[in-house]
Amino acid sequence: MRIGATLVGDNRNHANSSGGGKVRYVSNSRVIRKKRFIRREVKDQRSLPLPMALQELYEACREVFKGPGTVPLPEEVQRLSLILDNMKPEDVGLSKDLQFKTKHGVEAIPKVIYTAIYKCDNFSMCIFFLPSGGVIPLHNHPGMTVLSKLLLGSMHVKSYDWADPTDAPDATPGSSPVRLARVKADGVLVAPCDSSVLYPTTGGNIHAIKALTTCAFLDVLGPPYSEEDGRDCSYYKEHPYTAFSGKRNPWLEGNFLLGLQYGIQFMPNVMLLTSSFFAHADGGIGLGPGPGAQGSGEWYGWLEEIDVPEDSLMVGIEYKGPQIIE
């Protein structure tokens, strides 16, 4: 991948030829005037406004993120979201014709590339580049608040939250270490679009990304990943609900029966007035008005923690966009 800029040069002639094909040399006085003209050009270029959105984002992050174990207030998240919503590819030095090419000009094997803009103990800012077909496998963000902004291209995002955040995988011998998870989002993002946010236990903390076109997105993580502090990245494999239909889940059963009995809302956006318990064609399970109906049904599946997938390899490159001032 190469990100570059073209400088348009001045096409003036710096010396004129006299008659007879002879070269007329330029006097010292004219050389001085030429140097002064060049100096004025450089001064004018330096006076052009530089992208300040990244600097504004950095300064806001320093004030908002207080360190591990803390979650920004809603108004603080809104402040960051508004900045990200207005950011453009040029704010981080990207071109809209972003391409992934090998040195021979052939499209490279889809791999994820990332570049770190800034990182400290409280937060980090980084850009991820995905070629068409590139994948970031299903993974989590332990204890983090993450804001994302798609800058270029389009990508499919599927995200989950744990159905019961206090639940833990069954670790007894011979059991399947799976946990019930609720689908938070399953759709396509196309730039330009607004930013998104996830929290330690809500908002789709566990998600997978697949690039539909060459794309780039900016992530703000607070706090950043840290294996030493117990915030290492975990990866998961999806299983349809029917794959473990015999596995009891007291949380789901209890809340479902409570809804049947009292017709109350036991989950966000799910009102069980005439409840139905149905299975989707892909093996997922839904709670609410039923498949194909207009309403707010929710979908579930089982997630199993796995080793780091082979296709999770990321390649780091140096950030060469607009710099922040600390």
Side-chain angles (χ1 to χ4, degrees):
M1 181 190 68
R2 181 177 64 186
I3 301 174
T6 302
L7 300 178
V8 180
D10 193 349
N11 199 26
R12 296 184 178 87
N13 293 326
H14 299 296
N16 297 319
S17 60
S18 61
K22 296 181 180 179
V23 176
R24 184 179 65 186
Y25 292 94
V26 183
S27 65
N28 289 337
S29 61
R30 293 195 65 182
V31 172
I32 292 175
R33 285 197 296 272
K34 177 181 174 184
K35 288 182 178 179
R36 288 176 179 172
F37 178 73
I38 292 177
R39 287 173 181 168
R40 284 198 297 271
E41 277 193 324
V42 172
K43 182 178 180 180
D44 290 342
Q45 289 175 351
R46 290 179 179 176
S47 65
L48 293 175
L50 296 175
M52 295 303 296
L54 185 62
Q55 183 68 29
E56 182 183 4
L57 178 64
Y58 162 75
E59 293 174 358
C61 287
R62 288 195 60 178
E63 297 177 8
V64 167
F65 292 109
K66 307 298 193 302
T70 63
V71 177
L73 298 174
E75 56 268 26
E76 294 175 325
V77 172
Q78 183 179 21
R79 176 186 175 187
L80 296 177
S81 296
L82 288 174
I83 298 174
L84 284 167
D85 289 347
N86 293 313
M87 289 190 69
K88 302 176 181 179
E90 295 80 7
D91 293 322
V92 289
L94 297 184
S95 170
K96 292 184 178 180
D97 60 351
L98 182 68
Q99 296 180 348
F100 286 74
K101 299 291 182 180
T102 65
K103 62 182 179 180
H104 301 295
V106 180
E107 188 169 349
I109 297 174
K111 288 185 178 179
V112 177
I113 297 175
Y114 73 93
T115 182
I117 300 174
Y118 179 83
K119 182 177 181 180
C120 65
D121 291 340
N122 290 351
F123 70 93
S124 65
M125 300 187 297
C126 54
I127 305 172
F128 292 87
F129 307 95
L130 286 78
S132 180
V135 173
I136 299 180
L138 194 63
H139 64 284
N140 70 343
H141 305 80
M144 303 179 191
T145 301
V146 181
L147 293 98
S148 300
K149 166 69 175 182
L150 179 62
L151 298 168
L152 293 169
S154 61
M155 62 186 190
H156 178 267
V157 179
K158 186 172 185 180
S159 63
Y160 290 90
D161 287 317
W162 297 123
D164 181 4
T166 63
D167 187 24
D170 188 353
T172 57
S175 63
S176 298
V178 296
R179 291 179 67 179
L180 186 66
R182 178 175 60 248
V183 176
K184 173 63 179 177
D186 188 1
V188 174
L189 296 177
V190 180
C193 59
D194 289 341
S195 58
S196 59
V197 58
L198 62 84
Y199 298 92
T201 59
T202 61
N205 185 277
I206 306 166
H207 67 196
I209 297 170
K210 181 176 182 179
L212 304 180
T213 67
T214 300
C215 64
F217 63 91
L218 169 63
D219 260 5
V220 177
L221 299 88
Y225 285 108
S226 172
E227 185 175 359
E228 295 78 11
D229 296 330
R231 292 190 306 278
D232 196 11
C233 185
S234 298
Y235 292 89
Y236 299 90
K237 179 180 179 180
E238 299 174 274
H239 296 280
Y241 186 85
T242 53
F244 295 92
S245 57
K247 180 179 175 63
R248 296 190 59 189
N249 186 276
W251 179 87
L252 182 60
E253 293 173 2
N255 282 292
F256 175 70
L257 294 175
L258 182 65
L260 287 176
Q261 182 177 357
Y262 296 103
I264 63 172
Q265 182 176 359
F266 69 86
M267 284 184 238
N269 303 320
V270 180
M271 183 67 74
L272 296 180
L273 296 176
T274 55
S275 304
S276 58
F277 204 35
F278 57 86
H280 194 253
D282 63 4
I285 191 167
L287 296 174
Q294 296 296 322
S296 53
E298 295 193 341
W299 300 100
Y300 291 81
W302 302 100
L303 301 186
E304 176 187 4
E305 186 172 351
I306 60 174
D307 294 333
V308 179
E310 293 182 0
D311 59 354
S312 67
L313 176 64
M314 296 186 183
V315 179
I317 62 173
E318 181 183 359
Y319 172 69
K320 294 185 178 180
Q323 300 297 307
I324 60 173
I325 301 173
E326 299 186 43

